[in-house]
């Protein structure tokens, strides 16, 4: 019998990375596919509330404890007129939605989405159109949303039934403007100048807002990272965040390589941080630029199906990836990567939340269910609040076609001092073998082990369906705490949550 590989980790409460901004567990709803219509909103559904929102979906989102949701796009926002989505529904126009070539009925708009966000205990991250529009539309939009009253746009909001301002704090200055697929695609200088001037105008209306400038659409763009540098040359003094977007897939069916993509994510983050800090130095600035990773997920399963969809229909089933078990493992690794970079990543949005590359799926007029990726996302959001610690990890490694020295164990540690809780997230990337994991937690004197949650399955390609949850966590992990040391065997290809408390 082969001896198990061994990994070790030392955790000390004094070795802190940063306080975790809960908004790293955010998500995204775009007017795309069935995310809105048939997802969060289905007025004829038996579970719909008085506003047409599905209560079963609301409950699933509330269980995730999503702190912020980006809206309404995405590619869609680059040709979107926000005025189409406010006022009496019977007077709203139907439009050709150019990004995804569908019909947008505008039954849900800004006010309805703000109502929904309150129902799920979330804030709104609002994106503005810097593709076909610009400064004027943006300043009017924020006046409509945030100004108390006594002006044209704020009084129009009141006329629409919203006496109090929405006070939306976080605003995205466009979306993926370096992408040639974007309506209103711009060069970095064109975008940077427009974003700078739009930011100035928006802050004159409401100085309390925070603003996100568009970074590259992904790290493989030929514009990356010069786009970030040029954009920040213009916007550094006006914005608080720069955005990052990244999606992963396992098109080559190479699971070892696929599960190593947390390293690619970390490299991307570090490159953007370095670029931000270069502009900070160049401008002799004392201001720290933070990162908003406001689109991320696995996305590749639905690509072929999406090519078969007829254009100009309402809410067709677009981008409906059915996630398998190994996708959930990579999602866990991405969340661990965010925690490792909690000093600079202050917001992140899993794209998206319902039906469209999403942890939650629904049937029209039917049931809803949890995809495999729902579980690590929920664990991180619910248990990953507090301070991200910097553990010292010693792990055996492996090589793949794209990566060298990939640690089998990927781990992050969260310390919630107020609640006297410690949570250890640990991924075993080894596809075939279990691994012995010892964790030195002597700095947490008086703590005991509460539980060891495990997400595992003997088939990496196993998927959940509306009828059967074959991939779901159990609470029968084998971790034991004795004399300041945790001993656990992490089963092959597994996501683990080990929780300690003093109570």
């Amino acid at each position: 019998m082969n001896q198990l590989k061994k990994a070790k980790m030392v955790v000390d409460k004094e070795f802190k990375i940063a306080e975790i901004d809960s908004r790293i567990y955010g998500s995204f709803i775009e007017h795309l596919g069935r995310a809105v219509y048939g997802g969060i909103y289905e007025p004829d559904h038996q579970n719909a509330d008085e506003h047409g929102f599905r209560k079963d979906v609301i409950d699933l989102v509330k269980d995730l404890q999503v702190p912020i949701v980006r809206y309404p796009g995405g590619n869609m926002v680059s040709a979107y007129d926000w005025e189409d989505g406010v006022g009496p529904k019977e007077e709203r126009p139907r439009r050709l939605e150019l990004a995804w070539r569908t019909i947008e009925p505008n039954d849900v708009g800004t006010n309805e989405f703000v109502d929904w966000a309150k129902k799920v205990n979330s804030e709104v991250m609002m994106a503005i159109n810097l593709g076909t529009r610009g400064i004027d539309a943006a300043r009017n939009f924020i006046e409509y949303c945030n100004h108390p009253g006594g002006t044209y746009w704020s009084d129009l909001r009141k006329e629409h039934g919203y006496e109090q301002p929405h006070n939306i704090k976080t605003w995205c200055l466009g979306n993926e403007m370096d992408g040639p697929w974007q309506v209103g695609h711009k060069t970095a200088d064109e975008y940077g100048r427009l974003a700078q001037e739009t930011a100035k105008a928006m802050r004159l209306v409401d100085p309390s807002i925070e603003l996100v400038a568009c970074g590259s659409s992904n790290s493989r763009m030929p514009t990356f990272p010069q786009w970030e540098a040029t954009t920040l040359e213009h916007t550094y003094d006006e914005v608080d965040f720069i955005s990052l977007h990244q999606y992963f897939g396992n098109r080559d069916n190479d699971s070892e390589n696929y599960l190593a993509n947390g390293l690619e994510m970390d490299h991307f983050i570090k490159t953007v941080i370095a670029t931000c800090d270069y502009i900070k130095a160049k401008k002799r600035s004392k201001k720290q630029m933070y990162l908003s990773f406001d689109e991320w997920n696995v996305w590749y399963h639905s690509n072929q199906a999406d090519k078969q969809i007829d254009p100009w229909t309402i809410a067709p089933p677009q981008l409906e990836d059915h996630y398998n078990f190994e996708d959930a493992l990579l999602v866990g690794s991405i969340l661990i990567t965010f925690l490792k970079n909690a000093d600079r990543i202050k917001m992140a949005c899993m794209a998206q939340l319902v039906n469209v590359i999403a942890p939650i799926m629904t049937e029209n007029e039917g049931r809803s269910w949890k995809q495999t990726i729902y579980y690590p996302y929920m664990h991180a959001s619910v248990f990953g609040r507090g301070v991200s610690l910097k553990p010292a990890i010693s792990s055996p490694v492996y090589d793949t076609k794209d990566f060298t020295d990939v640690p089998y164990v990927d781990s992050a540690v969260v310390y919630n001092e107020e609640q006297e809780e410690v949570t250890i997230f640990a991924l075993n990337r080894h596809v075939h073998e279990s691994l012995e994991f010892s964790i030195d937690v002597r700095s947490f004197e008086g703590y005991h082990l509460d539980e060891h949650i495990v997400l595992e399955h003997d088939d990496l390609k196993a998927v959940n369906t509306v009828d059967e949850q074959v991939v779901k966590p159990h609470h029968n992990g084998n971790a034991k705490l004795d004399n300041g040391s945790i001993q656990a065997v992490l089963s092959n290809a597994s996501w683990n949550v080990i929780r300690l408390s003093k109570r």
Side-chain angles (χ1 to χ4, degrees):
M1 183 176 178
N2 292 333
Q3 192 171 12
L4 293 182
K5 291 182 170 63
K6 293 179 169 58
K8 298 184 293 183
M9 184 165 78
V10 179
V11 182
D12 193 297
K13 65 172 70 172
E14 299 302 325
F15 294 171
K16 300 173 182 178
I17 296 172
E19 184 78 26
I20 298 161
D21 191 321
S22 66
R23 294 179 298 174
I24 68 168
Y25 307 120
S27 193
F28 180 23
I29 289 284
E30 181 174 358
H31 282 252
L32 161 59
R34 298 191 307 121
V36 176
Y37 307 114
I40 66 171
Y41 180 80
E42 193 174 353
D44 295 331
H45 195 276
Q46 61 181 358
N47 275 326
D49 67 12
E50 69 277 15
H51 297 114
F53 295 114
R54 286 184 58 156
K55 291 186 285 188
D56 56 335
V57 173
I58 287 172
D59 290 340
L60 288 170
V61 175
K62 286 171 73 173
D63 287 346
L64 287 170
Q65 297 183 22
V66 182
I68 194 166
V69 182
R70 184 166 169 250
Y71 174 86
N75 294 349
M76 175 265 192
V77 80
S78 292
Y80 177 61
D81 295 337
W82 69 267
E83 302 91 337
D84 290 348
V86 299
K89 288 190 182 183
E90 63 274 12
E91 297 178 13
R92 297 181 189 177
R94 288 192 170 198
R95 299 287 194 194
L96 294 182
E97 199 290 285
L98 300 183
W100 305 103
R101 304 189 78 230
T102 60
I103 299 290
E104 174 52 58
N106 285 305
D107 291 337
V108 172
T110 299
N111 295 321
E112 289 84 10
F113 190 77
V114 169
D115 287 340
W116 179 82
K118 289 176 180 174
K119 291 173 186 283
V120 299
N121 305 319
S122 184
E123 299 294 325
V124 176
M125 178 194 292
M126 187 67 75
I128 63 168
N129 176 356
L130 288 188
T132 60
R133 304 188 78 183
I135 300 169
D136 225 30
R139 73 182 180 111
N140 295 342
F141 192 15
I142 195 168
E143 180 184 320
Y144 180 92
C145 290
N146 287 13
H147 196 69
T151 65
Y152 176 81
W153 291 108
S154 60
D155 285 347
L156 187 63
R157 182 197 68 243
K158 293 185 177 188
E159 188 181 309
H160 293 160
Y162 294 81
E163 180 68 26
Q164 298 303 315
H166 296 320
N167 292 323
I168 296 170
K169 179 182 180 181
T170 309
W171 296 76
C172 299
L173 296 167
N175 173 76
E176 294 186 356
M177 298 310 300
D178 67 333
W181 56 87
Q182 210 69 219
V183 177
H185 164 237
K186 291 171 172 58
T187 67
D189 278 311
E190 289 169 342
Y191 168 73
R193 285 286 294 124
L194 177 60
Q196 177 190 20
E197 294 304 316
T198 304
K200 283 162 57 178
M202 292 176 72
R203 285 200 192 277
L204 287 170
V205 177
D206 183 353
S208 71
I209 59 172
E210 55 184 17
L211 295 169
V212 185
C214 281
S216 296
S217 303
N218 60 71
S219 63
R220 295 176 295 279
M221 293 294 291
T223 47
F224 177 77
Q226 185 58 50
W227 172 277
E228 280 74 4
T230 303
T231 294
L232 288 173
E233 288 265 16
H234 294 288
T235 62
Y236 197 91
D237 295 331
E238 304 294 341
V239 305
D240 306 282
F241 302 87
I242 191 159
S243 71
L244 297 81
H245 292 181
Q246 193 81 304
Y247 296 96
F248 295 104
N250 188 13
R251 291 175 177 82
D252 298 333
N253 195 26
D254 183 343
S255 297
E256 287 88 352
N257 193 67
Y258 179 56
L259 294 178
N261 271 307
L263 276 68
E264 175 62 27
M265 192 71 128
D266 190 69
H267 176 68
F268 181 24
I269 291 164
K270 295 293 198 299
T271 304
V272 175
I273 289 171
T275 307
C276 292
D277 291 348
Y278 161 66
I279 300 300
K280 177 182 180 180
K282 189 173 181 181
K283 286 182 172 287
R284 300 345 186 226
S285 175
K286 294 181 179 178
K287 175 182 177 179
Q288 184 88 294
M289 186 61 60
Y290 292 107
L291 277 52
S292 174
F293 215 125
D294 52 34
E295 285 190 34
W296 68 271
N297 207 341
V298 171
W299 175 17
Y300 76 105
H301 296 286
S302 62
N303 293 159
Q304 286 304 118
D306 288 336
K307 295 176 183 177
Q308 314 304 318
I309 293 172
D310 292 329
W312 314 129
T313 58
I314 295 175
Q318 291 173 296
L319 281 66
E320 297 201 1
D321 272 35
H322 287 230
Y323 290 115
N324 59 35
F325 172 55
E326 68 180 2
D327 298 330
L329 297 178
L330 180 58
V331 162
S333 182
I334 291 169
L335 289 158
I336 284 172
T337 304
F338 291 160
L339 290 170
K340 289 176 180 175
N341 291 281
D343 55 333
R344 296 300 289 271
I345 295 181
K346 299 299 180 181
M347 293 191 292
C349 301
M350 175 187 271
Q352 294 185 18
L353 190 51
V354 185
N355 287 331
V356 175
I357 47 173
I360 298 168
M361 295 297 292
T362 71
E363 296 176 315
N364 289 352
E365 302 179 359
R367 294 169 289 172
S368 55
W369 76 97
K370 302 171 184 175
Q371 293 231 62
T372 62
I373 65 171
Y374 183 96
Y375 295 108
Y377 179 28
M378 178 184 68
H379 292 152
S381 179
V382 173
F383 302 129
R385 310 292 178 104
V387 171
S388 179
L389 299 182
K390 187 175 181 62
I393 305 173
S394 173
S395 169
V397 297
Y398 68 104
D399 295 339
T400 73
K401 69 182 181 68
D402 292 329
F403 304 98
T404 303
D405 291 338
V406 182
Y408 279 116
V409 170
D410 193 13
S411 186
V413 182
V414 176
Y415 174 37
N416 189 325
E417 187 171 9
E418 185 179 341
Q419 299 293 325
E420 295 187 313
E421 294 175 346
V422 179
T423 301
I424 297 162
F425 301 105
L427 172 70
N428 180 7
R429 290 185 171 111
H430 204 306
V431 173
H432 304 294
E433 295 180 18
S434 298
L435 188 143
E436 288 185 10
F437 193 32
S438 62
I439 311 166
D440 184 334
V441 290
R442 284 176 294 177
S443 77
F444 295 98
E445 193 174 350
Y447 279 67
H448 61 264
L449 197 144
D450 286 338
E451 61 180 344
H452 177 185
I453 306 168
V454 184
L455 187 67
E456 59 183 344
H457 199 279
D458 57 10
D459 181 6
L460 289 171
K461 310 300 182 183
V463 299
N464 291 342
T465 67
V466 67
D467 293 313
E468 191 174 10
Q469 289 275 297
V470 297
V471 178
K472 59 183 179 182
H474 65 77
H475 294 254
N476 302 318
N478 56 55
K480 291 180 172 55
L481 172 61
D482 183 43
N483 200 28
S485 178
I486 296 172
Q487 301 296 324
V489 175
L490 309 182
S491 53
N492 61 298
S494 64
W495 163 258
N496 300 264
V497 185
I498 299 171
R499 301 184 60 229
L500 313 176
S501 74
K502 207 170 186 179
R503 295 187 305 278

